[in-house]
Amino acid sequence: MEKATDMEMEREEVEEEETESVSDVLRDRFRLSTISIAEAEAKRNGMEISEPIVACISDLAFKYAEQLAKDLELFAQHASRKIVKMEDVILSGPTLLLGPHAARGRMHVSVASCGP
């Protein structure tokens, strides 16, 4: 019995590592895409953009996407669904764009994660 439990624990650890690895790859690809878009837009507009700014934009975009995914999942769960619908996306708009206090008319934007 003890061997079976050890094997199950090992299997769970391997699955967790694989999930983390996939998440890391997705995060890295998302960030590379964001950097590419920021640099292309800067070039298209005849501007230069510094690496710290590009990194900050990339980090903020990734955090925005993560929060959007969490919010969409919660909206679907609240409606007793497992599938996200367009109405969930539409409902998430004000909260993501204006912050958690959007309904009360206060805009909240945080760039604390973008340090020097």
Side-chain angles (χ1 to χ4, degrees), residues 13-23:
E13 287 177 11
V14 168
E15 288 175 4
E16 188 175 308
E17 287 175 7
E18 288 175 356
T19 301
E20 287 178 15
S21 177
V22 169
S23 294

Side-chain angles (χ1 to χ4, degrees), residues 15-78:
E15 288 175 4
E16 188 175 308
E17 287 175 7
E18 288 175 356
T19 301
E20 287 178 15
S21 177
V22 169
S23 294
D24 289 346
V25 169
L26 289 173
R27 183 195 66 234
D28 292 345
R29 287 182 180 171
F30 183 93
R31 287 186 172 153
L32 285 172
S33 295
T34 306
I35 290 167
S36 177
I37 292 167
E39 289 174 343
E41 285 298 307
K43 184 177 181 179
R44 186 173 69 88
N45 290 295
M47 302 173 71
E48 290 184 26
I49 188 166
S50 68
E51 282 191 36
I53 298 300
V54 170
C56 182
I57 290 169
S58 176
D59 287 341
L60 289 173
F62 185 74
K63 288 177 183 178
Y64 178 88
E66 280 185 315
Q67 189 59 54
L68 175 61
K70 290 174 187 175
D71 287 351
L72 293 175
E73 183 180 7
L74 289 174
F75 282 131
Q77 285 177 356
H78 182 71

Side-chain angles (χ1 to χ4, degrees), residues 1-13:
M1 181 72 174
E2 191 172 312
K3 283 187 178 184
T5 304
D6 288 344
M7 287 175 53
E8 288 175 16
M9 288 177 59
E10 285 180 32
R11 189 176 313 122
E12 288 175 8
E13 287 177 11

Side-chain angles (χ1 to χ4, degrees), residues 79-99:
S80 300
R81 290 184 273 107
K82 292 184 178 184
I83 297 174
V84 173
K85 291 186 173 184
M86 183 58 72
E87 64 193 54
D88 301 321
V89 177
I90 293 167
L91 286 171
S92 70
T95 301
L96 286 168
L97 293 175
L98 301 176

